[in-house]
Amino acid sequence: MSLSTQVMTAIKEAMKAKDQNALTSLRAIKSAILLAQTETGSKEEITEEQELKLLQKLVKQRKDSAAIFTEQGRNDLAEPEIAQAEVIARFLPEQMSEADVAKVVDEVIAATGAQGMKDMGKVMGQVNARLTGKADGKTISTIVKERLS
């Protein structure tokens, strides 16, 4: 079942349950999918990889907003953002632990023969390709920097 179909089903369920938070989150996903589809000018389906990147971006935006609101002492605004991030994250595959990400990073470093920080871009590109949707970029970046420095 495609992401669009899953989201539409979830929207119907949220409407029946009168869950405004979930409804807002799901509508944001639907909107982002439609924007991505029409970006090229034709209404073609987007790939699963593009869908995962899109969902990760939406979750990251909400977590970043929540962090800013929390810093400013606005928990009343941070809580809905965190709740929306959780709803969106349900459509992502299970996230890998830092130890598992570190194993993949070590494999890529060994395969590419990366020596130092100058090879970070090469390592990041390959690790991101392998872990699309399974780990966030910030975690990957931190581990790669740790290993290459």
Side-chain angles (χ1 to χ4, degrees), residues 44-60:
E44 58 189 43
E45 289 294 317
I46 58 176
T47 64
E48 188 175 339
E49 185 176 318
Q50 289 172 316
E51 289 174 346
L52 291 174
K53 285 183 180 179
L54 188 111
L55 290 173
Q56 280 184 312
K57 179 180 174 187
L58 292 172
V59 169
K60 184 179 184 317

Side-chain angles (χ1 to χ4, degrees), residues 94-142:
E94 189 175 330
Q95 299 294 295
M96 294 176 71
S97 68
E98 285 191 28
D100 293 337
V101 173
K103 286 179 191 173
V104 174
V105 169
D106 290 339
E107 290 171 12
V108 170
I109 289 173
T112 59
Q115 297 294 321
M117 290 304 287
K118 67 182 186 318
D119 296 324
M120 184 173 173
K122 184 172 25 174
V123 173
M124 283 293 296
Q126 289 187 22
V127 173
N128 279 331
R130 285 172 118 181
L131 301 181
T132 301
K134 298 177 187 167
D136 72 329
K138 189 174 184 179
T139 304
I140 295 170
S141 174
T142 303

